[in-house]
Amino acid sequence: MQMFYWTYKFPKYLQDLNFFCKKVELPIVVKSSDSGGQKGLFKIENHQDIENCYNKSIDNSVGGIVIAEKYLEGDEINCVFTVFNSEVKDLIISDRI
């Protein structure tokens, strides 16, 4: 059984992302932390794509922050909700195809 060093990271620099990739092994997902509609979201399956995907994710982030996560195989569920006065008002759950 493989042990994960981390399951996610906020890499500040490209070398942080490279280190993360070595620890968790590919594939991973890199995405901008503050954009919607899957802008700046990439599945990285080989080491040659790390720098390009990292830079594109940074470019799609308003604050210049990306999240790297270990890719997990399985169904993807999308949740959209609104909060008003600390209470969830609307919730939509759907499959992503």
Side-chain angles (χ1 to χ4, degrees):
M1 181 173 139
Q2 179 184 6
M3 298 298 291
F4 295 119
Y5 184 71
W6 296 294
T7 56
Y8 71 94
K9 182 161 181 62
F10 292 90
K12 267 185 125 170
Y13 305 102
L14 180 59
Q15 59 264 32
D16 296 335
L17 182 57
N18 283 315
F19 184 75
F20 175 77
C21 290
K22 289 177 186 172
K23 289 294 182 183
V24 301
E25 298 181 2
L26 298 178
I28 67 160
V29 174
V30 175
K31 57 188 176 182
S32 16
S33 65
D34 53 7
S35 66
Q38 297 192 344
K39 291 181 186 173
L41 172 67
F42 300 95
K43 179 181 176 186
I44 301 175
E45 299 186 78
N46 62 65
H47 291 277
Q48 295 81 8
D49 294 335
I50 293 171
E51 183 173 1
N52 185 43
C53 292
Y54 176 78
N55 289 332
K56 286 182 178 179
S57 291
I58 289 280
D59 290 344
N60 280 284
S61 172
V62 175
I65 299 170
V66 301
I67 302 170
E69 301 173 325
K70 176 68 180 160
Y71 177 79
L72 301 175
E73 190 68 43
D75 295 335
E76 183 178 352
I77 305 297
N78 189 42
C79 299
V80 179
F81 60 91
T82 58
V83 177
F84 183 73
N85 290 333
S86 301
E87 193 175 314
V88 175
K89 294 294 183 181
D90 299 301
L91 175 63
I92 301 169
I93 301 173
S94 62
D95 288 334
R96 289 198 72 96
I97 301 174

